């Protein structure tokens, strides 16, 4: 059987131009095609060798019906079209620090196996770059465990700077995918959905923050200063959390009150919950946000080779594949209590210092308190570090970037006159009269339209309250 080839040139793959019973080039055909196009440095890829290398299996039913060249090409093509990754579901739940690095290494091996296939193998340097990133992250963790923060942060800085120029990963809060989806990105949109994107892009964003207290405790939670981050004089009380640590307060916000109450572990049986809405003002809209709300589902759904003009989508998917090892690392939940060092927080905490050095104000990420990765958009958190607080300036200027309602105690209030961004944009019924799946989320173990839940109604109540300007 005569061997057939693909031609790789300038990042693209070419097969024989015939439209029926497609196949690869014979050697002579490939050389003639390259000479005709005057392509220098074009490369031949043996389809037979690719089938053997990746252990590809064709459809046995087709083998006797198709010419061998056509059959081999079809076997390869099906593998090339499979640009999904599988088995990397987030969050990742483990029990102890000791399991952490071993489990992270195991997941990285699985991830590298998933991307080392024809769908991604022809992207120059992708597999080796992702492999190096995984190794670097493991090394950074080990450095941080030993207390070598300087070198660890330097490597993290280099890693983040590669993505900071891409608006999908670092953008203004008001244009961030984490909160407005693909509405700000015209090149990623489907035709015929302009009205939906316009609404997603123009509706006022709303965030929330909650505080809880024991019912028997009488301390006051009624002022704006009670619902923002801890002041400088109380910085020693800052908890060791995913994106903040003792001595370094952080303003944590969520896209819903539900994700906020899950994050703070609200004990409904003996605690009261107070909440406020945070609406970004002109200053807030311009905050630079690093988008880590990347999931396996997003990577798989963002790009298909069958669509028209897929180059932009393909490049974005490749970039997501490159940053995903960092997302994986920051997506662990460890159940062990009373640990002096929480290994799964080390890189996240170092990231907060790194982003401050390169002009990024905060990080958006999916909650680790949810059931699975399908938490977008109701389960998105925003962490904004308060680096600029001093004895003379108790509160960060980051608080000035929002108009804030006074804290209100949760008691299943009636829905307000306005709707939160999530409830306004992600409606129960879509324009085709069908249930909108993305508008549903798991609340207390039940899958419901979020706007119908007690938390969704509370969100609407909060955004209907008067807003106040915070002055740090």
């Amino acid at each position: 059987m005569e061997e057939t080839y693909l031609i790789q040139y300038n990042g693209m793959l070419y097969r024989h131009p015939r439209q029926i019973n497609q196949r690869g080039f014979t050697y002579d055909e490939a050389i003639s095609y390259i000479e005709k196009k005057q392509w220098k440095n074009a490369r031949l890829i043996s389809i037979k060798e690719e089938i053997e290398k990746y252990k590809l299996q064709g459809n046995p039913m087709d083998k006797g019906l198709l010419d061998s060249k056509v059959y081999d090409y079809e076997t390869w093509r099906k593998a090339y079209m499979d640009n999904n990754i599988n088995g990397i579901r987030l969050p990742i739940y483990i029990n102890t620090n000791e399991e952490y690095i071993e489990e992270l290494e195991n997941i990285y091996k699985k991830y590298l196996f998933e991307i080392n296939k024809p769908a991604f193998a022809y992207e120059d340097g992708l597999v080796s770059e992702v492999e190096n990133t995984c190794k670097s992250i493991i090394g950074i963790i080990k450095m941080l465990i030993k207390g070598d923060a300087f070198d660890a942060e330097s490597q993290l800085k280099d890693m983040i700077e590669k993505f900071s120029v891409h608006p999908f990963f670092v953008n203004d809060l008001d244009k961030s995918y984490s909160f407005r989806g693909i509405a700000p990105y015209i090149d990623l949109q489907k035709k015929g959905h302009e009205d939906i994107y316009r609404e997603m892009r123009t509706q006022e964003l709303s965030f929330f923050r909650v505080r809880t207290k024991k019912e028997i405790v009488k301390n006051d939670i009624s002022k704006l200063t009670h619902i923002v981050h801890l002041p400088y004089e109380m910085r020693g009380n800052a908890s060791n959390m995913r994106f903040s640590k003792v001595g370094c307060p952080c303003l944590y916000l969520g896209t819903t009150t539900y994700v906020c109450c899950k994050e703070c572990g609200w004990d409904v049986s003996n605690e009261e919950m107070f909440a406020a809405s945070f609406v970004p003002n002109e200053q807030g809209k311009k905050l630079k946000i690093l988008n880590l709300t990347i999931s396996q589902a997003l990577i798989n759904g963002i790009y298909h080779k069958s669509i028209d003009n897929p180059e932009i989508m393909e490049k974005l998917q490749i970039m997501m594949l490159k940053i995903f090892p960092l997302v994986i690392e920051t997506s662990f939940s460890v159940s062990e209590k009373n640990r002096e060092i929480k290994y799964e927080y080390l890189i996240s905490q170092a990231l907060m210092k790194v982003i401050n050095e390169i002009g990024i104000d905060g990080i958006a990420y999916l909650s680790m308190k949810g059931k699975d990765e399908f938490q977008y958009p109701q389960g998105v958190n925003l962490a904004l570090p308060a680096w600029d607080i001093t004895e003379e300036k108790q509160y960060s200027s980051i608080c000035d970037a929002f108009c804030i309602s006074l804290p209100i105690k949760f008691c299943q209030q009636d829905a307000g006159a306005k709707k939160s961004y999530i409830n306004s944009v992600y409606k129960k019924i879509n324009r085709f009269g069908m249930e909108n799946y993305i508008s549903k989320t798991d609340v207390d173990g039940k899958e419901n339209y979020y706007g119908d839940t007690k938390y969704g109604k509370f969100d609407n109540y909060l955004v209907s309250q008067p807003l106040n300007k915070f002055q740090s």
Side-chain angles (χ1 to χ4, degrees), residues 27-87:
Y27 181 81
D28 290 340
E29 288 171 342
I31 297 302
S32 175
Y33 193 84
I34 291 169
E35 290 176 349
K36 181 180 178 181
K37 294 288 187 179
Q38 297 183 337
W39 286 346
K40 295 182 179 180
N41 303 318
R43 183 167 77 96
L44 297 188
I45 297 173
S46 165
I47 293 177
K48 180 180 179 181
E49 289 179 5
E50 295 299 279
I51 291 172
E52 292 174 352
K53 177 180 178 180
Y54 296 105
K55 299 180 174 59
L56 305 181
Q57 299 293 323
N59 186 347
M61 299 287 290
D62 292 339
K63 195 159 190 176
L65 300 175
L66 299 176
D67 175 85
S68 60
K69 298 184 185 69
V70 176
Y71 177 78
D72 283 352
Y73 174 78
E74 189 62 19
T75 298
W76 172 85
R77 187 192 68 83
K78 287 180 179 178
Y80 176 64
M81 293 296 290
D82 178 17
N83 61 336
N84 287 344
I85 59 171
N86 298 293

Side-chain angles (χ1 to χ4, degrees), residues 11 15-16 32 41 52-53 136 162 177 185 213 219 231 245 289 378 385 420 426 434 439 448 463 471:
R15 55 164 174 78
H16 194 285
S32 175
N41 303 318
E52 292 174 352
K53 177 180 178 180
S136 294
K162 289 188 295 186
Y177 167 82
Y185 306 94
K213 72 178 184 70
N219 60 305
K245 55 186 177 180
I289 306 300
Q378 298 87 359
S420 71
Y426 296 95
M434 300 175 64
S439 300
N448 285 310
V463 299
Q471 294 186 336

Side-chain angles (χ1 to χ4, degrees), residues 82-99:
D82 178 17
N83 61 336
N84 287 344
I85 59 171
N86 298 293
I88 318 292
R89 292 291 181 90
L90 308 176
I92 303 152
Y93 297 98
I94 58 174
N95 296 317
T96 66
N97 269 352
E98 285 66 32
E99 297 175 51

